[in-house]
Amino acid sequence: MKVLLITLWVLLFFILTNTKFVVCVGICRDNEQRALEILKKEVYDPSDILSSWVVGKGCCEWEGVVCNNLTRHVIELSIYVDWFELRYLRINSLEWLQSFSSLENLEMESVDLSKANEWQQVISMLPSLVDLRLSNCSLHHITPLLDHHNFSSLKSLDLSSNDNFRRSSIPKWVFNLPNLVSLDLRYCNFTGPFPDGPVNLTSLTTFKAFGNSFNCRLPKWLFDLNNLEHVELHYSGIEGAIQSKSKNITKLKYLDLSWNYLNSTIPNWLFGCKDLESLDLSGNNLEGTVSSLISNLSSITNIDISCNMLSGKLPNVIGKLGKLGYLDLSENLFEGDISELFDVRSDFLSVGLRNTSSLSTLGLGWNKLTGALPESIGQLSMLEDFSISNNRLEGVVTESHFSKLTHLQYFFASRNNLTLKMNRNWIPSFQVIQIKIPGWNIGPSFPMWLRTQKQIMIVDISDCGLQGEVPNWIWNLSSQIGLLNLSHNHFVGEVPIISTPSLTNRIGGPWTIDLGSNNFSGPLPLISTVVRHLDLSNNSFSKGLSNFLCEAKNGSYKLEILNLGGNDLSEEIPDCWMNWPELTFLILRDNNLIGGLPRSMAVLSNLLSLDLRRNRLNGLFPSSLGNCTKLHIIDLAENEFIGKLPSWLGMRFPALIVLTLRSNKFDGELPQELCHLKDLQILDLANNTFVGIIPRCIGNLSAMVKEKEEVEDDGQSRLFMGLPIESAMVMTKGNMYHYDTILALFTSMDMSSNNLSGDIPISVTRLVGLRSFNLSKNNLTGRIPNGIGDMKVLESVDLSENQLYGQIPQSFSSLTTLGYLNLSDNNLSGMIPLSTQLQSFDPMSFQGNKLCGLPLLVNCSSAGNIPNHKSEDDESDKDEVDWFYISMAIGFALSFWGVCGSLLFKRSWRHAYFRFLDRSWKMLVAKLPIC
């Protein structure tokens, strides 16, 4: 009995001393109570987050404070701020923490500790601390600790989301905590490299450090940690190879190295981790094939190796992974017949994945897969998300392919040569949310089974060979559809008013409607205010814009992209743009619009691109555009605009990339202010009646100075339905070309077919990034600038039908990228320079001059055609002599007026100067010998 009582007492003592809960009776330790009261008094707490901390009441009863039941010491302290509710709390110092000798868990989340510079020193002196969490606390200072600082008791360390740690590496003491089990350093802006080792993290199971900028290789010791289970290092700038060998790392369950710069093969040791449940290596540059050893991952539920450069055939042994729920192999270089993944030998269906399959996501898009889609895909009964877009699949798809796909919600299969043959009365067993099958052959009848899809939000059946009228129910369904793409079909008839969405539906109504490239006719349809992107281009819509633009009865519209190009719209552009303030892209090209641009277009302050090409618009350059200062593209080509270009044109558009005014009736001199368009890449003023000289400052167009070898990805690529919005029509090499995806790479200057006079400014040779240069059909005189050879990327040069004279500069021979040249009908003379390019052009490129040498048949040694052998160096010397005399004249004038002008206008200087001359004369006379 005595032994039993002793045992009970020991058990009770163990429970009391090892149980953590808030004390309901009594108060906490005096020194700890005082410390928390000091904090309560000094903390900046405008949101009253510490409202439960009532002075005079035992701190063990305060929210976030946990005490030991027996000792009454505070053992847990948690201060949490919900920043989603815009609440705020700032603690300027952590000195008060020194009173908590028994504190085991300290958690502060979203508390502003930016002024608590001593946080490391104070916390390192808490001898019992096991769990430290200071997430999103604006910490900005972390350094290696002194010897007497100690964090060795820590088991969990969370410093995540303190992004002010930028430009510093993770301190070495962090990697020498032998008891540490969990390390969380997410989003701290740490830089690399990791320490080479040795490290002392023998207990570490979880390592999260994603969202940093290490820009280094994976540390060799990482995958030698025997207890490691969970690793997250995505978006961290990790580069190089995944180590090819690893020690006994058998406990790994979760590995995420996605969206880094890894460039090796997938190492085989990974496939030996039989406890691995999730593997994410997507968004890297991994190469090679996927080993059949992947079938050893018997516990795996998630595999994502998309967006790499993996090749070979699909690893059909994946079919043996019975627990697999997520598989994404998209955006690689996999090839071969898709059916090999699903045949009997692959076990994909015959073993673990038939009927009872757990596979819910299967991504195979953007590869090089061939063959017909196997009917056995219809047996994956749990499949929700299926993507086979942009492959080389062909054949017929029937109801059998969808027989048991009752859970299918997302089906992406665009750009394959597939034919959909369904019974007209087919009712699918699924309810999709998104379906994209552009490029399929599903016509000519409209797919009536779409009417059965009550949850559908995105529909893309573009380029599917559909004909006839669109059934009315699709327009009624539009109130729940966020994206409707019926473009590039053969639909006819009028488009009715697209129904206004219910404010209660999940997406707030339609966002994107693309009906382009069909045969729709009649007036433009009215749309809902919530539509963001609308493309009605290349149809036969007629009448004017007034009904569409001016019937705004529901307030301001949200429309950002409006493409009405390629229709039969007529009448004047109405003055109703005040209802469309969000417009960024406006395309009205290829219509029959007349008149000028209305004043209300001045409200389009967000406009980035304006395309009015090929209409019958007239009047002066529209002053209403002066407020559209964000414009990147202005295309007014092939209209009937008149008058001079306003000087503000070069001042109001600091971001202008394309200015196309060709084939109008503009006149007058070119304003010098054009040279202020620093970002201008394409300048087309051709086929007008401009006069005067080319501005001498033309070389200041700095965007044409830098050679563009690749498109810089700024994250702001503007796409509509996957296609680039920003585009330009450019006349180059004698033909008109359409530039969109490579618009950022192209530069062009075309002032042809005007009445410009004077010479070609030497400053134009500074435009070394220019690719197309056309000054033909003007009245230009003088010589071709010698420095034209510095324009190394020139692809097209047309200086024909001017009055240029002298020799062709020898530097032309260095233009190795030149693909088009026309110097005909000038007064050029001498020998055509020898090069690998010039002799390959058609002789017509040089006719109408006094030239000799290949490709012309005129021999330079024949009578009357002996070339002037003064080289361009002689011409340069002549230019230098001219500049010498000019400089001498300027110097003489400055010297004369610098001295004589001072004497003329300054009396005291004049008297001093003559006194100086008088003394000098007397001294000179005194020294002369007496005869």
Side-chain angles (χ1 to χ4, degrees):
M1 185 69 178
K2 187 176 182 180
V3 174
L4 181 59
L5 288 173
I6 293 173
T7 303
L8 289 173
W9 275 108
V10 171
L11 182 60
L12 180 61
F13 177 80
F14 178 80
I15 293 173
L16 290 174
T17 56
N18 288 277
T19 303
K20 305 169 185 176
F21 53 88
V22 177
V23 176
C24 298
V25 180
I27 60 174
C28 55
R29 295 275 180 167
D30 290 342
N31 61 329
E32 296 174 357
Q33 177 82 27
R34 286 194 299 271
L36 290 178
E37 288 180 352
I38 292 173
L39 172 61
K40 167 69 175 177
K41 181 179 180 181
E42 295 182 353
V43 70
Y44 180 68
D45 186 13
S47 305
D48 205 18
I49 294 169
L50 303 181
S51 59
S52 69
W53 290 25
V54 180
V55 176
K57 184 179 179 180
C59 68
C60 292
E61 299 181 40
W62 294 357
E63 183 180 349
V65 181
V66 177
C67 299
N68 183 283
N69 186 57
L70 187 64
T71 65
R72 296 186 292 115
H73 279 295
V74 174
I75 55 176
E76 292 187 15
L77 180 59
S78 176
I79 304 176
Y80 173 82
V81 178
D82 188 354
W83 60 273
F84 284 105
E85 298 180 4
L86 301 178
R87 303 174 73 191
Y88 184 76
L89 184 147
R90 185 178 70 233
I91 298 176
N92 293 332
S93 174
L94 296 179
E95 294 288 349
W96 50 273
L97 272 175
Q98 298 181 38
S99 301
F100 297 90
S101 58
S102 298
L103 190 65
E104 298 177 11
N105 299 334
L106 174 61
E107 179 180 3
M108 295 187 186
E109 184 170 348
S110 301
V111 177
D112 184 357
L113 298 179
S114 59
K115 295 184 180 298
N117 293 327
E118 80 294 356
W119 70 272
Q120 283 176 268
Q121 289 80 1
V122 173
I123 292 174
S124 67
M125 290 185 276
L126 299 176
S128 303
L129 194 62
V130 173
D131 189 350
L132 174 61
R133 303 177 188 274
L134 300 177
S135 177
N136 192 32
C137 287
S138 301
L139 299 173
H140 59 82
H141 183 67
I142 184 168
T143 58
L145 295 179
L146 303 176
D147 293 338
H148 64 277
H149 293 150
N150 182 23
F151 278 116
S152 60
S153 62
L154 282 180
K155 291 185 178 180
S156 178
L157 176 60
D158 182 355
L159 299 177
S160 62
S161 299
N162 287 291
D163 57 5
N164 288 325
F165 286 151
R166 61 176 61 91
R167 293 184 298 277
S168 63
S169 57
I170 304 174
K172 291 185 178 180
W173 60 265
V174 171
F175 299 102
N176 288 283
L177 301 176
N179 295 313
L180 197 65
V181 174
S182 176
L183 176 60
D184 192 342
L185 302 174
R186 296 168 293 158
Y187 298 117
C188 288
N189 269 330
F190 280 127
T191 58
F194 294 100
D196 292 332
V199 299
N200 190 4
L201 292 171
T202 54
S203 302
L204 192 68
T205 64
T206 300
F207 181 37
K208 299 179 181 180
F210 59 85
N212 287 286
S213 302
F214 295 119
N215 299 320
C216 67
R217 294 177 175 269
L218 284 168
K220 295 180 180 179
W221 47 261
L222 180 62
F223 295 116
D224 292 335
L225 301 176
N226 294 342
N227 291 306
L228 196 62
E229 297 179 3
H230 191 111
V231 177
E232 293 186 57
L233 282 171
H234 50 283
Y235 290 105
S236 293
I238 302 296
E239 57 192 35
I242 305 175
Q243 61 193 68
S244 58
K245 295 181 179 180
S246 177
K247 295 181 180 178
N248 191 22
I249 183 171
T250 59
K251 297 181 180 180
L252 192 63
K253 294 182 179 179
Y254 187 101
L255 177 62
D256 188 348
L257 299 176
S258 62
W259 299 102
N260 284 294
Y261 304 99
L262 299 171
N263 57 13
S264 64
T265 58
I266 301 176
N268 287 338
W269 63 261
L270 262 179
F271 304 134
C273 301
K274 295 186 177 181
D275 291 333
L276 193 63
E277 298 175 2
S278 179
L279 175 64
D280 192 346
L281 302 176
S282 61
N284 284 286
N285 297 309
L286 297 175
E287 302 175 327
T289 60
V290 178
S291 171
S292 60
L293 294 174
I294 196 172
S295 62
N296 294 334
L297 301 179
S298 55
S299 300
I300 200 79
T301 61
N302 177 87
I303 297 177
D304 190 347
I305 52 177
S306 62
C307 302
N308 278 289
M309 300 175 67
L310 298 168
S311 58
K313 292 189 175 182
L314 291 174
N316 56 11
V317 293
I318 287 178
K320 298 179 180 179
L321 305 177
K323 296 181 180 179
L324 193 62
Y326 183 102
L327 175 62
D328 195 348
L329 307 177
S330 60
E331 295 191 55
N332 278 287
L333 303 173
F334 291 119
E335 56 189 6
D337 198 312
I338 190 173
S339 62
E340 294 182 9
L341 187 63
F342 300 96
D343 64 19
V344 176
R345 292 171 297 171
S346 74
D347 291 328
F348 208 110
L349 298 166
S350 59
V351 179
L353 299 178
R354 186 189 299 275
N355 295 338
T356 58
S357 168
S358 58
L359 192 68
S360 62
T361 297
L362 178 59
L364 303 175
W366 298 88
N367 280 288
K368 299 180 179 180
L369 303 179
T370 58
L373 189 66
E375 289 187 4
S376 53
I377 194 72
Q379 302 297 315
L380 299 175
S381 57
M382 300 302 293
L383 198 61
E384 298 177 4
D385 188 341
F386 184 34
S387 172
I388 52 173
S389 297
N390 291 79
N391 279 287
R392 301 169 183 174
L393 306 180
E394 55 188 4
V396 177
V397 177
T398 66
E399 291 98 326
S400 300
H401 290 82
F402 302 96
S403 58
K404 295 184 180 179
L405 300 184
T406 56
H407 291 81
L408 189 65
Q409 295 183 353
Y410 305 91
F411 183 45
F412 307 116
S414 59
R415 307 306 162 199
N416 285 287
N417 189 21
L418 293 168
T419 299
L420 186 66
K421 285 189 177 181
M422 300 294 186
N423 187 296
R424 183 172 177 81
N425 299 320
W426 177 56
I427 299 178
S429 59
F430 52 75
Q431 287 289 322
V432 292
I433 296 174
Q434 298 184 20
I435 183 167
K436 293 184 177 183
I437 52 174
W440 283 42
N441 180 17
I442 64 176
S445 300
F446 197 90
M448 302 302 291
W449 54 267
L450 281 174
R451 192 174 188 179
T452 67
Q453 304 301 295
K454 304 303 181 184
Q455 301 179 16
I456 200 162
M457 295 165 56
I458 291 181
V459 178
D460 187 346
I461 51 174
S462 59
D463 192 21
C464 287
L466 298 170
Q467 300 178 9
E469 294 190 0
V470 177
N472 286 330
W473 56 262
I474 198 71
W475 308 122
N476 296 329
L477 194 64
S478 65
S479 62
Q480 73 180 52
I481 294 178
L483 182 151
L484 177 63
N485 189 354
L486 305 180
S487 66
H488 295 87
N489 283 292
H490 307 285
F491 292 123
V492 298
E494 296 188 7
V495 178
I497 297 175
I498 300 175
S499 60
T500 303
S502 169
L503 296 178
T504 59
N505 86 40
R506 285 173 294 171
I507 59 169
W511 294 91
T512 298
I513 299 174
D514 189 352
L515 307 180
S517 300
N518 281 286
N519 295 314
F520 290 116
S521 58
L524 295 171
L526 300 182
I527 62 171
S528 165
T529 57
V530 299
V531 174
R532 296 279 184 176
H533 305 154
L534 178 64
D535 190 340
L536 302 177
S537 63
N538 300 313
N539 281 283
S540 299
F541 291 109
S542 57
K543 300 185 178 180
L545 294 169
S546 297
N547 188 56
F548 176 81
L549 289 176
C550 304
E551 290 295 320
K553 299 178 181 179
N554 297 315
S556 181
Y557 283 72
K558 304 298 183 183
L559 196 66
E560 297 175 2
I561 298 173
L562 176 60
N563 188 352
L564 302 177
N567 282 286
D568 296 323
L569 301 173
S570 57
E571 304 178 4
E572 293 187 352
I573 299 176
D575 198 12
C576 299
W577 296 96
M578 66 286 296
N579 298 315
W580 308 82
E582 303 297 323
L583 272 177
T584 55
F585 290 84
L586 176 58
I587 303 172
L588 299 175
R589 64 184 303 146
D590 295 302
N591 281 286
N592 295 304
L593 300 171
I594 61 174
L597 269 61
R599 292 183 179 180
S600 61
M601 293 192 77
V603 305
L604 304 181
S605 59
N606 293 310
L607 201 62
L608 300 177
S609 179
L610 176 65
D611 188 346
L612 302 175
R613 178 184 286 257
R614 279 195 292 270
N615 280 281
R616 291 187 290 153
L617 299 169
N618 54 44
L620 300 175
F621 188 93
S623 60
S624 56
L625 296 183
N627 290 338
C628 305
T629 57
K630 296 180 181 179
L631 274 167
H632 288 182
I633 296 175
I634 299 177
D635 190 342
L636 306 181
E638 299 182 55
N639 280 284
E640 299 173 8
F641 290 106
I642 62 173
K644 298 181 179 180
L645 295 185
S647 59
W648 54 260
L649 175 62
M651 308 295 289
R652 299 282 183 88
F653 306 119
L656 198 64
I657 297 173
V658 176
L659 177 61
T660 302
L661 305 178
R662 76 179 297 121
S663 300
N664 279 282
K665 299 177 181 178
F666 290 113
D667 55 28
E669 296 186 355
L670 298 179
Q672 295 285 327
E673 287 78 7
L674 280 177
C675 302
H676 294 293
L677 298 174
K678 302 296 184 182
D679 292 333
L680 198 65
Q681 293 177 208
I682 295 175
L683 175 63
D684 189 347
L685 306 177
N687 296 321
N688 284 283
T689 54
F690 291 115
V691 298
I693 64 171
I694 300 172
R696 293 294 184 256
C697 58
I698 201 71
N700 294 342
L701 299 178
S702 53
M704 298 182 185
V705 173
K706 184 179 179 181
E707 294 183 28
K708 300 177 184 297
E709 298 179 355
E710 60 182 20
V711 179
E712 297 180 1
D713 184 7
D714 58 0
Q716 299 178 348
S717 299
R718 298 176 179 88
L719 301 178
F720 176 76
M721 305 303 293
L723 299 175
I725 303 172
E726 290 185 342
S727 63
M729 298 295 295
V730 181
M731 176 68 77
T732 180
K733 301 181 181 180
N735 293 295
M736 188 69 73
Y737 294 91
H738 181 249
Y739 288 89
D740 44 37
T741 55
I742 61 170
L743 177 60
L745 295 176
F746 198 76
T747 50
S748 171
M749 181 183 293
D750 190 345
M751 299 183 185
S752 62
S753 300
N754 282 285
N755 294 317
L756 298 174
S757 57
D759 58 0
I760 301 174
I762 295 176
S763 65
V764 79
T765 61
R766 294 205 299 264
L767 306 179
V768 295
L770 196 62
R771 294 183 181 272
S772 181
F773 184 41
N774 191 346
L775 298 179
S776 65
K777 299 179 182 177
N778 279 287
N779 298 312
L780 298 174
T781 58
R783 300 176 183 273
I784 300 174
N786 293 325
I788 197 169
D790 297 332
M791 305 167 75
K792 300 294 185 182
V793 297
L794 272 175
E795 300 171 4
S796 175
V797 175
D798 191 345
L799 303 177
S800 63
E801 297 186 51
N802 280 287
Q803 300 174 34
L804 302 172
Y805 60 82
Q807 290 184 280
I808 300 175
Q810 188 63 37
S811 64
F812 251 106
S813 60
S814 64
L815 298 179
T816 57
T817 60
L818 201 61
Y820 179 89
L821 176 65
N822 192 351
L823 301 178
S824 63
D825 298 311
N826 279 285
N827 295 316
L828 301 172
S829 60
M831 184 173 64
I832 298 173
L834 296 175
S835 75
T836 57
Q837 298 289 107
L838 298 183
Q839 277 64 47
S840 66
F841 291 118
D842 191 287
M844 299 292 287
S845 299
F846 302 96
Q847 72 172 6
N849 290 286
K850 299 177 182 178
L851 297 169
C852 61
L854 295 176
L856 298 176
L857 299 179
V858 179
N859 192 326
C860 288
S861 61
S862 61
N865 286 294
I866 300 175
N868 182 357
H869 289 290
K870 286 186 178 181
S871 66
E872 60 181 352
D873 294 329
D874 297 328
E875 295 174 10
S876 300
D877 291 340
K878 181 180 179 181
D879 290 342
E880 289 178 7
V881 171
D882 291 342
W883 279 109
F884 171 77
Y885 288 116
I886 292 172
S887 301
M888 187 171 65
I890 293 173
F892 174 81
L894 291 175
S895 301
F896 177 84
W897 285 109
V899 175
C900 297
S902 301
L903 299 178
L904 182 64
F905 297 107
K906 192 78 172 175
R907 176 184 294 181
S908 59
W909 287 22
R910 187 165 63 250
H911 289 176
Y913 177 72
F914 284 116
R915 283 197 298 269
F916 168 76
L917 289 178
D918 185 63
R919 286 197 304 270
S920 298
W921 173 252
K922 290 181 179 178
M923 291 175 61
L924 179 62
V925 170
K927 292 181 179 180
L928 289 174
I930 300 174
C931 299

